[in-house]
Amino acid sequence: MKILLIGGGGREHAVAEGIKKSKYNPSLYALMAKKNPGIAALCEDFLLEKETEVEKVVEYAKARNVEIAFVGPEAPLAAGVADALWEAGIPVVGPKKACAIIEFDKAWARNFMKKYGIEGCPAYEVFTEVKPAHAFIEKLGDVAVKPSGLTGGKGVKVMGDQLPDLEAAKAYTSELLEKGAVVIEERFIGEEFTLQAFVDGKSLVFFPAVQDHKRAYEGDLGPNTGGMGSYTDAGEILPFMLPEDLEKAKKIMQDTVNALSEETGTGYQGILYGQFILTASGPKVVEFNARFGDPEAMNVIPLLETDFVEIMSAVVKGTLGNLPVSFSKKATVCKYAVPAGYPENPEKDSEVTVGDIGKASIYYASVYEKEGKVYTTSSRAIAVVGIAETIAAAEKIAQNALENLHGKLFFRKDIGTAALIQKRIDHMKELRG
């Protein structure tokens, strides 16, 4: 079988590895903006091209007689790459534009949740003008401010966090309104977690829950990033969660898929990512994404015991409900090495070398290869993943690997450590009373 992977980041490296482990021995092709050395090593052939160049994607897929495609990032989904490939007779794991809107238009997503009565939706309003937006901020008193469009996971700012007070929330809102619509919503207090699922239009297969760490510095301080690292426990839930929290989040995602089908007349086929915040009154929806998370993909894809290519086939054929999918019951810790100075003033074009990383897996993200050497860009460079019986053991494997990456790099040491996880457990106990 010939498979095309679109995208060149760490998430796509994990997908490529999952595909290549298949017993069907597929031929893998990739289209990516920069040469990811990890993906390139797994491919028969690749094309360096912008992933949003729809015609070029279709042309390349046809030239290579591709039988199924996997779209990794959100931008090509928003550009309609999945639609164009289906029209060319190539099935796609990745939703069509009509459904992917749930990620790339946050105003649409909130209005859709409200229309269909989907649980976990905050009090919110969508604004295009400053005066009413500022009045709504005053009314709610404690808010999250979001640009409506795609921001690479870095656009949302929250009071009591990146926004110290009402005046800061108003100032940020004014800044965003110069570029487009803004969603202002009540701020939820709790612990965030991610739930990801394969979706075939009706049925969902859920991965274990993951917790990502957006803040740049240890102790959850500093500016937001695309994600500095993440962890899973040896089972479906995280240490601060209860089984019923997961069941409620799963129901929200199932209801969302059903409602998307009704709203758009198109089945959602691909990956659905639910970003939740667990509050005293259960899980609430921060946002939905139309693809795997990065870094969360690196935690969960290696745990799959079922053949990745079989799952892809079931997604595009609508037969996922008939396929038993299993995961190994191990804990994982993913940590990112990023360029020194990231995110505000990253050192670009700096060489990175990999030493003895022990039992860890390595995923190349925003790097490029030139004359056999790997260099940083301005974004997250390399992710390492430890897999073990416990979070503590997985964390040691990941941390050892990080310390054997050489170059002008920076990373958080505290992700997956007992102290940080205990902080999450204590926080939820306090909220639940």
Side-chain angles (χ1 to χ4, degrees):
M1 181 182 269
K2 292 184 173 183
I3 299 174
L4 174 63
L5 173 63
I6 296 148
R11 160 184 52 219
E12 289 78 35
H13 188 179
V15 170
E17 189 180 82
I19 290 168
K20 287 302 285 185
K21 282 181 183 168
S22 171
K23 66 187 178 201
Y24 298 103
N25 194 25
S27 298
L28 181 63
Y29 299 86
L31 185 144
M32 47 191 163
K34 285 192 181 78
K35 184 185 176 186
N36 179 314
I39 296 171
L42 296 169
C43 288
E44 306 287 318
D45 179 59
F46 60 88
L47 177 66
L48 298 181
E49 181 61 75
K50 270 191 184 171
E51 296 134 10
T52 50
E53 291 286 343
V54 178
E55 286 178 17
K56 298 275 176 68
V57 174
V58 174
E59 196 181 290
Y60 182 68
K62 283 175 155 179
R64 293 291 175 270
N65 298 312
V66 164
E67 294 158 83
I68 188 168
F70 190 108
V71 183
E74 60 275 25
L77 294 170
V81 160
D83 306 61
L85 285 166
W86 275 105
E87 280 165 26
I90 298 163
V92 187
V93 179
K96 290 180 179 174
K97 195 172 178 177
C99 290
I101 193 172
I102 200 162
E103 171 166 12
F104 65 79
D105 188 336
K106 289 178 177 59
W108 185 95
R110 284 306 191 208
N111 291 334
F112 159 80
M113 286 184 76
K114 188 179 184 178
K115 178 179 176 180
Y116 287 92
I118 292 165
E119 291 276 326
C121 190
Y124 78 95
E125 291 287 347
V126 182
F127 296 96
T128 54
E129 292 177 15
V130 170
K131 208 169 175 183
H134 285 190
F136 190 65
I137 290 169
E138 288 278 1
K139 181 185 165 188
L140 284 185
D142 196 4
V143 298
V145 181
K146 303 178 173 184
S148 188
L150 291 175
T151 59
K154 304 180 193 79
V156 180
K157 290 194 179 181
V158 179
M159 276 181 65
D161 205 339
Q162 302 91 352
L163 303 170
D165 53 28
L166 282 172
E167 292 313 308
K170 288 179 189 174
Y172 185 54
T173 300
S174 299
E175 182 192 320
L176 291 178
L177 281 167
E178 289 175 15
K179 298 167 198 160
V182 174
V183 182
I184 295 167
E185 53 192 50
E186 68 174 299
R187 176 195 174 204
F188 289 132
I189 310 280
E191 284 296 330
E192 287 196 21
F193 69 93
T194 304
L195 188 59
Q196 301 168 104
F198 282 115
V199 188
D200 72 351
K202 292 177 187 163
S203 301
L204 287 81
V205 167
F206 293 97
F207 289 86
V210 191
Q211 188 172 50
D212 181 22
H213 299 68
K214 288 278 185 201
R215 304 301 281 273
Y217 311 133
E218 289 181 17
D220 297 321
L221 300 172
N224 266 0
T225 69
M228 292 295 290
S230 44
Y231 68 94
T232 64
D233 206 347
E236 279 194 297
I237 63 171
L238 295 160
F240 57 82
M241 292 173 71
L242 301 173
E244 54 263 39
D245 300 328
L246 184 71
E247 292 315 307
K248 284 177 185 171
K250 284 182 177 179
K251 183 180 184 301
I252 288 169
M253 287 178 67
Q254 181 70 66
D255 290 347
T256 299
V257 168
N258 297 347
L260 275 168
S261 190
E262 194 178 328
E263 177 68 17
T264 66
T266 302
Y268 187 108
Q269 290 174 294
I271 309 298
L272 183 63
Y273 166 117
Q275 184 73 49
F276 293 93
I277 187 159
L278 184 55
T279 70
S281 58
K284 309 291 182 185
V285 177
V286 176
E287 65 180 13
F288 290 111
N289 290 331
R291 38 73 190 178
F292 276 123
D294 184 340
E296 298 99 324
M298 280 91 92
N299 294 88
V300 297
I301 292 172
L303 296 176
L304 263 177
E305 291 177 332
T306 309
D307 194 290
F308 198 93
V309 172
E310 273 184 18
I311 298 171
M312 284 176 64
S313 297
V315 165
V316 298
K317 287 175 185 167
T319 58
L320 199 53
N322 305 329
L323 182 68
V325 178
S326 62
F327 299 88
S328 76
K329 290 187 168 49
K330 298 241 173 112
T332 69
V333 173
C334 174
K335 300 195 189 197
Y336 251 118
V338 302
Y342 176 84
E344 282 120 336
N345 192 23
E347 291 224 19
K348 292 192 282 188
D349 308 312
S350 169
E351 189 187 345
V352 180
T353 57
V354 179
D356 180 4
I357 60 164
K359 294 183 200 167
S361 300
I362 186 165
Y363 298 104
Y364 290 96
S366 196
V367 294
Y368 64 95
E369 189 179 31
K370 194 175 171 185
E371 294 170 0
K373 292 179 177 180
V374 175
Y375 297 90
T376 59
T377 65
S378 59
S379 195
R380 296 171 298 165
I382 296 175
V384 294
V385 178
I387 302 175
E389 302 299 321
T390 64
I391 297 171
E395 189 277 329
K396 283 191 175 70
I397 293 167
Q399 188 57 36
N400 170 68
L402 272 187
E403 286 165 8
N404 283 287
L405 300 180
H406 308 295
K408 291 178 183 173
L409 298 168
F410 161 75
F411 46 81
R412 277 182 63 169
K413 292 179 184 174
D414 61 344
I415 293 166
T417 59
L420 200 60
I421 290 167
Q422 190 59 47
K423 192 174 156 188
R424 311 293 200 240
I425 294 167
D426 294 345
H427 186 210
M428 277 318 301
K429 273 187 185 164
E430 185 190 328
L431 288 176
R432 293 186 205 264

